[in-house]
Amino acid sequence: MSAVAQDTRTLVEVRDLAKVFDVSAPWLNRVVERKPRQFVHAVDGVSFAIERGRTLALVGESGCGKSTVARLLVGLYAPTRGSVHFDGTDTASVDGATLRTLRRRMQMIFQDPYASLNPRWKVLDIVAEPLREHGLVKGDGAIHDRVVELLRSVGLAGADTEKFPHQFSGGQRQRISIARALATGPEFLVCDEPTSALDVSVQAQVLNIMKDLQRERGLTYLFISHNLAVVRHVSDDVGVMYLGRLVELAPKRELFAAPRHPYTRMLLDAIPDIHMTGRARTPVQGEVPNPLNPPSGCAFHPRCPHANERCSRERPALTNFRGVQVACHAVEEGRI
């Protein structure tokens, strides 16, 4: 009985998700220069679940695979391995009509509001496109009324329907993107760094709108970000990614109060904090390794102050430690 209850609470479940990109030079170049094919493991065995009405945030340095995970979830990329289950349905095993219905229930908000809106279209057409595509509203008058309603829900005016994207600020454009994403009445929103291109004051306004919409509509979010201050404000659970893999997955309170993985500790130690003035800090050492030639064993071991010989040869699995999932030999062995 409890297993069934758990299934009804979980809206999105990702199992061993992986995406490999072939970045090889053209065939003739490889033959002449005698170079092998090259592959990037952008996502390498990621698993997590998101319960209805909750927000999971994925954080990590640039190039760790966060945005690739986002695109895999909404179907913009096909996974090389693993599966995405939405409301109990494997999105790769359904027919076209069912997949179309599922995609209507999940939408994406992109990072750059300047690039994600068609500059030749009026706001009315931009927000109405999903309504027309899915046949949700019939008639120009009804579509116009629905678009006005959506714009007002994100703090814009009904008169904005006749304007073009270039007539708005960055924060207003992102509100238009949110209104478009809400047009199909989705249950799940994938937010790929939706505030990173905005000023700090505007970020707060957009984040508050998203939190209000979540409360009003019971929305479930996957929130991609590299800003831990933003993550602390919006998330319920946090997953820390490093070079295509999850290294720690925990409820927000536990992760910020007592981070387990050395990489998570370094990320949190880098957050500016007036209470830390004068105290020694441990900066994040080194650079992210070349994804074309990742380190053996634990990918973080060249930068980790707690690494030993085992870390350099054996890749740690994501293991549950008192409700927190961590992939670290040092944690497993009780060294930290």
Side-chain angles (χ1 to χ4, degrees):
M1 190 72 175
S2 61
V4 175
Q6 177 64 33
D7 289 342
T8 59
R9 287 199 303 266
T10 300
L11 180 64
V12 180
E13 185 176 5
V14 171
R15 303 175 185 171
D16 194 31
L17 196 64
K19 180 62 179 179
V20 179
F21 292 102
D22 187 345
V23 294
S24 308
W27 174 80
L28 185 58
N29 292 55
R30 298 201 309 272
V31 171
V32 172
E33 300 172 14
R34 297 183 179 181
K35 290 184 176 180
R37 295 181 70 179
Q38 291 184 308
F39 299 91
V40 171
H41 294 262
V43 178
D44 190 10
V46 168
S47 300
F48 58 79
I50 312 176
E51 292 185 2
R52 297 174 187 273
R54 291 178 68 86
T55 300
L56 171 66
L58 288 184
V59 301
E61 292 169 290
S62 297
C64 70
K66 307 184 300 294
S67 294
T68 304
V69 169
R71 284 161 171 74
L72 286 167
L73 259 63
V74 297
L76 294 180
Y77 293 153
T80 304
R81 185 183 77 245
S83 60
V84 176
H85 293 256
F86 183 82
D87 201 9
T89 303
D90 185 348
T91 57
S93 63
V94 296
D95 58 36
T98 306
L99 182 60
R100 183 181 176 86
T101 302
L102 286 178
R103 286 183 172 171
R104 193 173 68 208
R105 297 170 63 191
M106 60 176 82
Q107 293 293 321
M108 188 165 181
I109 301 171
F110 294 92
Q111 177 177 357
D112 187 357
Y114 295 92
S116 61
L117 304 178
N118 190 330
R120 297 177 181 270
W121 286 13
K122 292 182 178 180
V123 170
L124 173 64
D125 299 314
I126 291 171
V127 180
E129 184 185 17
L131 299 174
R132 294 189 174 110
E133 179 67 23
H134 292 279
L136 299 176
V137 181
K138 304 292 185 182
D140 291 342
I143 288 175
H144 180 274
D145 291 344
R146 177 61 178 150
V147 170
V148 169
E149 180 185 340
L150 288 165
L151 291 176
R152 287 175 176 165
S153 72
V154 296
L156 294 176
D160 291 332
T161 55
E162 297 304 310
K163 297 180 182 178
F164 290 91
H166 74 267
Q167 295 175 269
F168 296 90
S169 66
Q172 290 173 322
R173 291 189 193 196
Q174 198 61 292
R175 293 179 190 218
I176 296 169
S177 297
I178 295 171
R180 178 178 59 184
L182 294 173
T184 61
E187 301 163 47
F188 178 52
L189 286 182
V190 176
C191 312
D192 186 10
E193 302 204 34
T195 61
S196 64
L198 308 178
D199 294 337
V200 174
S201 59
V202 180
Q203 284 186 22
Q205 296 171 15
V206 173
L207 291 173
N208 288 333
I209 286 173
M210 294 178 67
K211 292 288 285 184
D212 291 342
L213 290 169
Q214 184 175 35
R215 283 192 295 268
E216 294 167 6
R217 302 171 182 239
L219 296 171
T220 305
Y221 289 149
L222 175 70
F223 196 94
I224 309 294
S225 181
H226 61 268
N227 187 330
L228 286 165
V230 169
V231 166
R232 193 168 196 164
H233 177 66
V234 302
S235 68
D236 297 301
D237 304 283
V238 182
V240 181
M241 288 191 68
Y242 187 79
L243 217 63
R245 292 178 63 85
L246 276 174
V247 297
E248 187 164 359
L249 181 61
K252 174 185 66 176
R253 291 181 182 273
E254 295 185 27
L255 185 129
F256 279 91
R260 301 288 189 88
H261 198 280
Y263 178 59
T264 309
R265 295 182 178 190
M266 289 182 179
L267 287 179
L268 293 179
D269 207 27
I271 300 176
D273 186 349
I274 194 169
H275 299 295
M276 293 284 288
T277 302
R279 292 170 58 181
R281 288 173 174 267
T282 304
V284 180
Q285 303 292 332
E287 299 290 338
V288 178
N290 184 352
L292 290 172
N293 185 28
S296 60
C298 174
F300 187 61
H301 87 261
R303 306 171 67 187
C304 180
H306 305 283
N308 61 12
E309 192 272 335
R310 182 190 180 194
C311 299
S312 64
R313 59 179 170 79
E314 182 182 334
R315 187 162 74 174
L318 197 66
T319 308
N320 197 310
F321 292 93
R322 299 175 186 173
V324 176
Q325 297 184 58
V326 186
C328 180
H329 294 312
V331 173
E332 178 188 342
E333 297 167 1
R335 293 189 279 115
I336 59 173

